[in-house]
Amino acid sequence: MGEEEERDPQRLKRIAAAAYDYDNDPRWAEYWSNVVIPPHMAARSDVVDHFKRKFYQRFIIFCWFSVALVNTMKIYVFSAVHAKLKREKKIEKRKQAKAREAAIKRALDLGEEAKKKVPRTIENTREVDETVCRPDDEELFAGNDADEFSQVLKQQVTPKILITTNRFNSTRGPAFIQELLSVIPNAHYHKRGTYELKKIVEYAKNKDFTSVVVVHSNRREPDALLIINLPDGPTAHFKLSKLVLRKDIKNHGNPTDHKPELVLNNFTTRLGHRVGRYIFETKEKKDDSKDKAAKSKNVPQEKMIVRLQECGPRFTLKLRNLQHGTFDSKGGEYEWVHKPEMDTSRRRFFL
């Protein structure tokens, strides 16, 4: 019974009406002056409370209901206008699609090449950069044979990666490192412990490692990668974001023992060319086109259906700085450093 009384709407209205500040509401004074009752009844508190409740119901609750009704009508009108504009936009889009199809059909009937609309993407709308590499830049490509990555890219040295962490590891750090070990060939994990990074670099040099990868964590989450090329650098610091582990990827695949193929697109600037060579490992390709042609004469053609599955981990890297030599936080010289004032547009790329 007690709970039902507390939830009684009439009782709640009476309580709200009794708690209302009538003295500071000028409408109450005007309303009470227009009430015609005998003087002896006007002095009774129950009569005054009765008229206060009537005033509260008429001027307070009704006004609140009117405002709520107006707001509801505004929302309804806005929704109707929005739906109408959406329908008109959809109809216009269909008309444009039909016009394009008709233009393509006319061009094919006339034997002309149909002009297809190129969709706008971030890549083809990027701002013009004066450091973009040109195919005829002989100076740039001649330096590839003498840079720090030429021995690995020519397969004169077998890549060997040492992966470690900062001193304070995160919750998802071990799982992330485990997945890196499964997709990067010839990668080895070494616990950081209390060793300084410079000592780890010296240890990696003595053990013939070609790179050191440091997974940095902040607030129990991996947030950066430090990649040190050995023996003489350079050192790249990447911001890591949007990390999705393999278990969180829907319908994920599992890595195999095959060497992964790394695809780099739109690394077109001089900095991008250098960073691309920094993280790219390739295999020497033999010219076996004649053998394949000879074999294909005796092998019937078959259709192959290839389905790709994402193995993970999935993450985004953004270059923060590129440093000469191995890691040196105090006296190191930097080739390139990202600064906040450089982010003037989303269509500006540095790689």
Side-chain angles (χ1 to χ4, degrees):
M1 293 294 291
E3 293 183 359
E4 293 181 358
E5 290 181 358
E6 290 180 359
R7 296 177 181 177
D8 184 11
Q10 297 299 327
R11 183 174 179 275
L12 295 176
K13 287 181 182 179
R14 287 195 295 271
I15 294 173
Y20 186 73
D21 187 7
Y22 295 93
D23 296 334
N24 293 326
D25 193 339
R27 294 175 299 177
W28 163 249
E30 183 181 357
Y31 176 81
W32 181 246
S33 63
N34 293 327
V35 174
V36 181
I37 56 175
H40 68 281
M41 295 186 66
R44 292 173 52 180
S45 60
D46 58 338
V47 175
V48 176
D49 292 341
H50 169 74
F51 282 101
K52 282 183 177 181
R53 286 194 296 271
K54 292 184 66 176
F55 169 83
Y56 185 83
Q57 184 174 2
R58 178 178 178 183
F59 289 94
I60 307 303
I61 296 180
F62 181 75
C63 291
W64 174 84
F65 176 75
S66 300
V67 172
L69 182 62
V70 169
N71 291 334
T72 305
M73 291 298 295
K74 286 181 179 179
I75 294 173
Y76 175 76
V77 171
F78 175 79
S79 301
V81 173
H82 177 71
K84 182 180 178 181
L85 293 175
K86 194 173 181 180
R87 285 195 302 270
E88 292 177 354
K89 187 176 180 180
K90 194 173 183 179
I91 293 172
E92 184 65 24
K93 196 172 181 180
R94 287 178 180 175
K95 289 182 180 179
Q96 293 177 359
K98 289 182 179 179
R100 286 196 301 268
E101 291 177 359
I104 293 173
K105 187 176 180 180
R106 285 196 301 270
L108 293 176
D109 293 340
L110 296 174
E112 299 176 355
E113 185 178 356
K115 295 182 179 180
K116 294 184 179 180
K117 185 179 179 180
V118 179
R120 288 173 57 87
T121 61
I122 296 179
E123 286 77 15
N124 61 23
T125 58
R126 63 185 296 177
E127 293 183 357
V128 179
D129 195 330
E130 59 183 7
T131 64
V132 171
C133 303
R134 297 180 179 178
D136 57 349
D137 193 343
E138 297 179 358
E139 180 183 354
L140 173 66
F141 296 104
N144 291 342
D145 296 332
D147 64 4
E148 304 93 329
F149 324 113
S150 58
Q151 291 185 347
V152 175
L153 295 177
K154 291 179 180 179
Q155 292 192 339
Q156 296 175 358
V157 176
T158 302
K160 187 179 179 183
I161 316 299
L162 186 148
I163 300 178
T164 186
T165 63
N166 60 335
R167 291 181 178 177
F168 303 99
N169 203 355
S170 64
T171 304
R172 295 207 298 170
F176 177 51
I177 292 173
Q178 188 65 33
E179 294 188 6
L180 288 179
L181 293 172
S182 65
V183 296
I184 300 177
N186 203 16
H188 307 270
Y189 170 71
H190 286 258
K191 189 175 180 180
R192 174 69 179 270
T194 58
Y195 294 103
E196 294 182 358
L197 188 55
K198 290 185 178 180
K199 292 184 178 180
I200 294 178
V201 171
E202 291 298 326
Y203 169 81
K205 287 182 182 179
N206 297 332
K207 295 296 182 179
D208 297 328
F209 283 95
T210 58
S211 296
V212 175
V213 177
V214 182
V215 180
H216 185 273
S217 302
N218 185 24
R219 296 181 180 179
R220 306 173 68 86
E221 185 73 14
D223 69 334
L225 282 184
L226 188 69
I227 304 178
I228 306 171
N229 188 62
L230 300 179
D232 301 320
T235 300
H237 178 213
F238 294 93
K239 175 186 175 182
L240 188 149
S241 60
K242 301 178 182 178
L243 173 62
V244 182
L245 298 178
R246 184 180 303 138
K247 64 178 183 178
D248 299 323
I249 298 175
K250 187 177 180 180
N251 299 326
H252 67 82
N254 294 313
T256 62
D257 296 334
H258 300 85
K259 287 188 177 181
E261 294 290 340
L262 190 60
V263 180
L264 301 178
N265 292 328
N266 299 313
F267 283 70
T268 54
T269 64
R270 284 181 172 266
L271 177 64
H273 178 76
R274 183 162 172 76
V275 173
R277 286 179 59 81
Y278 186 28
I279 62 177
F280 186 74
E281 294 179 9
T282 184
K283 296 182 292 183
E284 183 181 359
K285 296 183 179 180
K286 297 181 180 180
D287 188 11
D288 55 352
S289 57
K290 296 181 180 179
D291 296 337
K292 288 184 179 179
K295 292 180 181 179
S296 62
K297 293 180 180 179
N298 301 324
V299 177
Q301 297 293 330
E302 296 180 357
K303 292 184 178 180
M304 295 183 64
I305 300 176
V306 180
R307 293 184 176 88
L308 300 179
Q309 277 187 304
E310 185 178 3
C311 296
R314 181 197 307 164
F315 53 89
T316 300
L317 292 179
K318 185 175 182 180
L319 183 65
R320 286 303 182 188
N321 58 67
L322 187 63
Q323 182 182 8
H324 282 294
T326 56
F327 176 76
D328 188 356
S329 59
K330 294 183 179 180
E333 296 182 0
Y334 291 88
E335 298 183 35
W336 184 84
V337 178
H338 177 268
K339 297 179 181 179
E341 55 267 22
M342 299 168 67
D343 296 330
T344 57
S345 173
R346 293 186 63 183
R347 295 186 292 111
R348 186 182 182 188
F349 297 90
F350 304 101
L351 298 183

